[in-house]
């Protein structure tokens, strides 16, 4: 079976055994390793951005050059802010694994599913509840 990618993170998909219990120790460990690797990758990106901004920060005499640099820095900081929020979700997912709550829908309590969690390891809703949530969101907008 080919490797799967989650935000440029490559891992081997989990192979379920017939009759295997959902969210057993092997599955929890599989998702823990995915989440920890993803968090590590995001933290490295934060460090890279910090060093890039420190190294490339210059006081250009030309206002256009300064504006371009500020614009680039703003875009990078916005991306890092999204990643900071994602790191928080990863930490919440890791805590849910520790509490044996990971992999179950927060809304209805059913199994989220191995493949959905591999596609989005921080998922907290089953696909049905997520679809309903998106419909409600669309109606409110």
């Amino acid at each position: 079976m080919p490797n799967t990618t989650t935000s440029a993170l490559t891992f081997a998909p989990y192979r379920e055994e017939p009759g295997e219990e959902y969210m057993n120790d092997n599955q929890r460990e599989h998702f823990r390793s995915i989440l920890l690797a993803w968090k590590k990758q995001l933290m490295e990106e934060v460090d890279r951005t910090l060093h890039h901004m420190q190294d490339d920060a210059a006081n250009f005499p030309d206002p256009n050059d300064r504006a371009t640099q500020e614009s680039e820095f703003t875009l990078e900081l916005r991306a890092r802010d999204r990643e900071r929020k994602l790191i928080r979700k990863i930490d919440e997912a890791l805590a849910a694994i520790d509490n044996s709550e990971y992999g179950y829908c927060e809304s209805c309590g059913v199994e989220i599913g191995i493949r959905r969690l591999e596609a989005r390891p921080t998922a907290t809703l089953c696909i049905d509840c997520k679809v309903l949530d998106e419909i409600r969101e669309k109606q409110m907008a």
Side-chain angles (χ1 to χ4, degrees), residues 116-135:
R116 174 158 165 69
L117 288 169
E118 284 181 334
R120 188 66 178 174
T122 57
T124 58
L125 298 174
C126 68
I127 195 70
D128 293 334
C129 290
K130 184 63 178 171
V131 168
L132 288 172
D133 195 45
E134 289 174 357
I135 290 170

Side-chain angles (χ1 to χ4, degrees), residues 80-97:
R80 295 302 85 80
D81 188 50
R82 283 193 303 273
E83 289 172 355
R84 179 186 55 82
K85 292 174 185 173
L86 180 55
I87 289 170
R88 190 173 342 137
K89 285 185 176 185
I90 290 171
D91 287 337
E92 289 170 3
L94 289 167
I97 288 173

Side-chain angles (χ1 to χ4, degrees), residues 62-109:
D62 181 35
N64 291 329
D65 291 339
R66 278 197 310 270
T68 299
Q69 183 183 46
E70 278 186 37
S71 182
E72 289 172 0
F73 284 178
T74 300
L75 287 173
E76 274 192 64
L77 289 173
R78 194 173 300 153
R80 295 302 85 80
D81 188 50
R82 283 193 303 273
E83 289 172 355
R84 179 186 55 82
K85 292 174 185 173
L86 180 55
I87 289 170
R88 190 173 342 137
K89 285 185 176 185
I90 290 171
D91 287 337
E92 289 170 3
L94 289 167
I97 288 173
D98 292 339
N99 298 330
S100 299
E101 296 170 357
Y102 184 77
Y104 296 94
C105 180
E106 285 182 348
S107 182
C108 68

